[in-house]
Structure formats: C-alpha cells, structure tokens
Amino acid sequence: MEQTLAIIKPDGVSRGLIGEVIIRIERNKLKIKAMKLIQMSKTQAQGFYAVHRERPFFQSLTDFMCSGPVVVMVLEGENAIKPWRDMMGATNYKDAAEGTIRRDFATDIEKNVVHGSDAPETAAFETGYFFNALERV
Ligand code: GDP
C-alpha cells in the first residue's frame, strides 16, 4: 500500500468541486486516510512548494495557493501515487486526457483544481507537511 497527498486547490473549493473530486476518489477505490479544510499562509505555501522556488511562476502559484481554503487529504491504495495523478490529468488542462479532473474542470495552467504528489519521496514529505500520525486513521 502506498500513500499520496491530494489537495483540492482554492479554485476547486471556491467553485464547489469538493464533492465532485471526492466522488471520483472513492469510485476509483482510493481510501481517504486523513482529510481537513485549511487556509495556508504565504509562508506555508512557499514551504510546501519549495522545490519550485526558482520557477518563474513561484510567486503567483504561492499567492494562489493561499488565496482561499484548500482540502488536504492523504490517499492510500496500491501504488496510490499513479492512479491519483492519472485521475488528475496533465498539469496543463489543455493537454489533459478526457475524463480527468483537470480536463473537466481546470480553467488555467495554474488554477488546475487539484494537486498530487509525484513520487514516493515527495509523498512522504507532503503528507508529513500537513498531517501528524494522530491525524491519520
Ligand atoms: P503538477 O505536479 O501537475 O501539479 O505540476 P508541477 O509540479 O509542474 O507544478 C506545480 C503547480 O504549479 C501546477 O499544478 C500549477 O498549479 C502550477 N504551474 C505549473 N506550471 C505553471 C506555469 O507554467 N505557469 C503557472 N502560472 N503555473 C504553473
């Protein structure tokens, strides 16, 4: 069993897409092991996306990520990282496959509704960033 971090980004929460995303997670047999609604500070968003600090979109991305509440979740399943990323679709919704969350709902390369860890090491860092052991079932 593998765990991954999922985030419903501020655009997804403000547009009323929490239920839509969670239905897809449950239909795809990923188990929710932890979940909460939070609003990150700018510093917390910068810490979360530290790997992207040299990217030209870092300022904009971290402003966006702390612009409103997000739902953070730990998902578990067999190789959970890949099925969750498959459900999300490509970073740019214009390149995302039919039936993916980003293809169906994203409006912008940045405002792309959801986040998912991309590797086991990032999943360990990202799940630990938001949840301690007591907050996971
Ligand atoms: P992901 O793993 O598919 O989320 O993509 P990345 O790790 O490459 O990028 C992290 C997040 O930064 C993406 O989900 C987008 O919200 C944002 N992002 C990526 N590329 C761009 C870009 O070219 N411009 C802007 N404004 N945001 C971007």
Side-chain angles (χ1 to χ4, degrees), residues 24 86-90 96-105:
R24 290 178 185 219
D86 288 347
M87 288 166 62
M88 287 169 33
E98 292 276 348
T100 59
I101 294 167
R102 285 168 167 173
R103 174 67 171 259
D104 289 346
F105 302 111

Side-chain angles (χ1 to χ4, degrees), residues 9 49 52 55 57 61 85 91 102 109-110 112 115:
K9 295 184 178 184
Y49 275 123
H52 291 319
R55 303 267 204 113
F57 54 83
L61 173 62
R85 287 192 66 90
T91 309
R102 285 168 167 173
I109 189 166
E110 182 174 278
N112 57 5
H115 167 84

Side-chain angles (χ1 to χ4, degrees), residues 5 74 122-133 135-136:
L5 185 82
V74 177
T122 26
F125 166 74
E126 292 181 354
T127 56
Y129 195 78
F130 294 109
F131 297 100
N132 64 38
E135 295 173 303
R136 308 183 196 202

Side-chain angles (χ1 to χ4, degrees), residues 43-130:
T43 306
Q44 287 166 336
Q46 287 169 329
F48 178 69
Y49 275 123
V51 291
H52 291 319
R53 62 186 172 276
E54 305 299 339
R55 303 267 204 113
F57 54 83
F58 182 68
Q59 271 307 328
S60 171
L61 173 62
T62 51
D63 281 344
F64 164 57
M65 289 300 287
C66 66
S67 67
V70 297
V71 174
V72 284
M73 289 175 272
V74 177
L75 307 182
E76 185 178 270
E78 216 165 300
N79 304 312
I81 292 170
K82 184 173 186 319
W84 173 234
R85 287 192 66 90
D86 288 347
M87 288 166 62
M88 287 169 33
T91 309
N92 187 345
Y93 72 102
K94 291 179 182 164
D95 302 327
E98 292 276 348
T100 59
I101 294 167
R102 285 168 167 173
R103 174 67 171 259
D104 289 346
F105 302 111
T107 52
D108 183 283
I109 189 166
E110 182 174 278
K111 294 177 180 58
N112 57 5
V113 187
V114 281
H115 167 84
S117 311
D118 62 1
E121 309 73 53
T122 26
F125 166 74
E126 292 181 354
T127 56
Y129 195 78
F130 294 109

